[in-house]
Amino acid sequence: MQAKLLEGGPVAEAILRDVRQRVSALSQRRRPIGLATVLVGSDRASAGYVRKKHEACEAVGMVSHHHHVPEGATQAELLEVVDRLNRDAAVDGYLVQHPVPPGFDLNQALLSMDPDKDADGLHPVNLGRLVLQEPGPIPATPAGIRAMLLHYGVDISGRRVVIVGRGPTLGRPLSLLLSAKQPGGNAAVTVVHSAVPDLSDYTRQADVVIAAVGKPGIVVPDMLRPGAVVINGGISWKGRKLLPDVAESCAERASWITPRLGGVGVTTVAMLLRNAVALAERRVDSDDLRAG
Ligand code: NAP
């Protein structure tokens, strides 16, 4: 069996088409939509992700702003940038690129953000909205994975989904999203992690396996039920080479699998921009209401 590919490109294109139209409609009602990024330190991969986000902004007609907090800066300086962005009327949404270098506290930065400008959907208020299924920005990578399942017609309702990894940006919010009673959700979700002695005990039972760890090749064909859907969310770098959590040989056992490149990453960027335009729409609507 050779798996069909869950390409991120067509999913992202569909999302970005909608975003472009909404950006254009909003820009006619007022000034352009602004998304800002904050890069802490100088990690090459993080700088690359930030660059891609700016390119995507340009492609949909959003204005992007960049703030760099150098490695030698303090947490207080990072919080000053966050405070400035909270007050900057030209910024509708922003994100602090993660992970941040040792010595910086990402959670404190997230807590200091205006939740209504949280383009990554990682502020506790927005994670709470996700739990309550209230509207709000949804963490971009989980949202991109759900969009991918919907786009390719992979129905997970009532099916067994195993997520490997329980990190706050990916595995944990993804488990909320995919178990929620809504389209693209409704699955029986199990989250496994480093305390689980044998991941295969769980993954072999799964209709869908999603890797969210950051350890190359942690998911191998032996761990899969033939015909499982396999999604790679976890990545690490060896020099300039991107290493996925899912071993490439899994394609011989899966029915659907994400490609090594052009999978979850591109849908993540598209979802970030969708969050940003939704935040901007909400701001414009509430400004209009206030203005009468
Ligand atoms: P994280 O917070 O470090 O979480 C990693 C998770 O993996 C933890 O829950 C950890 O378990 C688990 N883990 C570690 N070793 C394990 C093992 N041997 N067996 C089972 N579980 C193990 O990281 P994150 O922020 O959630 O990100 C996870 C991965 O997704 C990273 O590779 C990151 O680069 C990637 N990511 C990709 C995108 C994208 O756009 N493609 C976006 C965000 C994140 P414990 O909790 O027990 O320590």
Side-chain angles (χ1 to χ4, degrees):
M1 182 188 303
Q2 186 68 28
K4 288 178 277 183
L5 289 182
L6 295 162
E7 301 267 9
V11 187
E13 268 166 39
I15 298 162
L16 292 175
R17 235 187 336 267
D18 168 62
V19 168
R20 208 172 288 119
Q21 280 169 4
R22 289 161 69 180
V23 168
S24 152
L26 261 190
S27 301
Q28 279 160 23
R29 281 171 73 186
R30 51 157 232 174
R31 58 164 179 75
I33 311 307
L35 177 78
T37 59
V38 181
L39 176 65
V40 187
S42 52
D43 178 70
R44 200 181 48 80
S46 294
Y49 296 140
V50 165
R51 205 168 35 248
K52 285 216 160 63
K53 290 169 187 176
H54 286 267
E55 285 166 9
C57 280
E58 200 180 327
V60 297
M62 276 187 202
V63 176
S64 63
H65 311 259
H66 181 58
H67 295 262
H68 184 224
V69 177
E71 214 119 42
T74 60
Q75 175 75 10
E77 285 169 290
L78 168 60
L79 295 181
E80 263 169 44
V81 172
V82 166
D83 184 50
R84 218 177 314 138
L85 290 169
N86 286 343
R87 288 182 285 107
D88 187 342
V91 171
D92 297 286
Y94 70 96
L95 63 104
V96 178
Q97 183 66 38
H98 50 80
V100 293
F104 290 94
D105 181 346
L106 177 64
N107 283 355
Q108 192 190 26
L110 289 172
L111 278 161
S112 306
M113 288 176 77
D114 176 348
D116 293 329
K117 288 194 173 189
D118 167 28
D120 252 347
L122 294 174
H123 186 286
V125 165
N126 292 320
L127 291 174
R129 286 175 172 148
L130 179 60
V131 172
L132 298 175
Q133 289 187 247
E134 289 292 328
I138 297 174
T141 309
I145 291 174
R146 182 181 60 177
M148 190 177 255
L149 292 169
L150 283 166
H151 183 95
Y152 289 99
V154 178
D155 184 6
I156 62 168
S157 179
R159 311 295 292 276
R160 291 178 191 183
V161 173
V162 169
I163 301 172
V164 188
R166 58 180 165 188
T169 59
L170 184 45
R172 196 174 292 273
L174 183 62
S175 69
L176 293 170
L177 200 56
L178 300 188
S179 60
K181 198 171 184 175
Q182 61 188 14
N186 229 3
V189 179
T190 304
V191 181
V192 292
H193 41 74
S194 66
V196 173
D198 187 356
L199 299 176
S200 302
D201 282 347
Y202 297 86
T203 56
R204 280 205 197 109
Q205 309 293 323
D207 300 301
V208 181
V209 174
I210 306 175
V213 177
K215 288 206 168 145
I218 194 167
V219 175
V220 293
D222 247 14
M223 295 167 66
L224 303 173
R225 184 180 73 67
V229 175
V230 182
I231 296 179
N232 186 77
I235 45 177
S236 33
W237 293 89
K238 188 175 181 193
R240 288 177 182 271
K241 194 168 164 46
L242 182 148
L243 302 173
D245 283 0
V246 171
E248 248 168 276
S249 48
C250 289
E252 286 154 32
R253 208 169 167 89
S255 58
W256 287 94
I257 195 165
T258 45
R260 204 177 77 76
L261 295 172
V264 167
V266 282
T267 61
T268 295
V269 176
M271 279 303 175
L272 170 75
L273 299 198
R274 189 158 98 171
N275 279 343
V277 77
L279 291 171
E281 285 167 346
R282 230 165 290 146
R283 274 184 89 199
V284 170
D285 287 344
S286 66
D287 286 352
D288 287 357
L289 266 180
R290 237 175 286 133

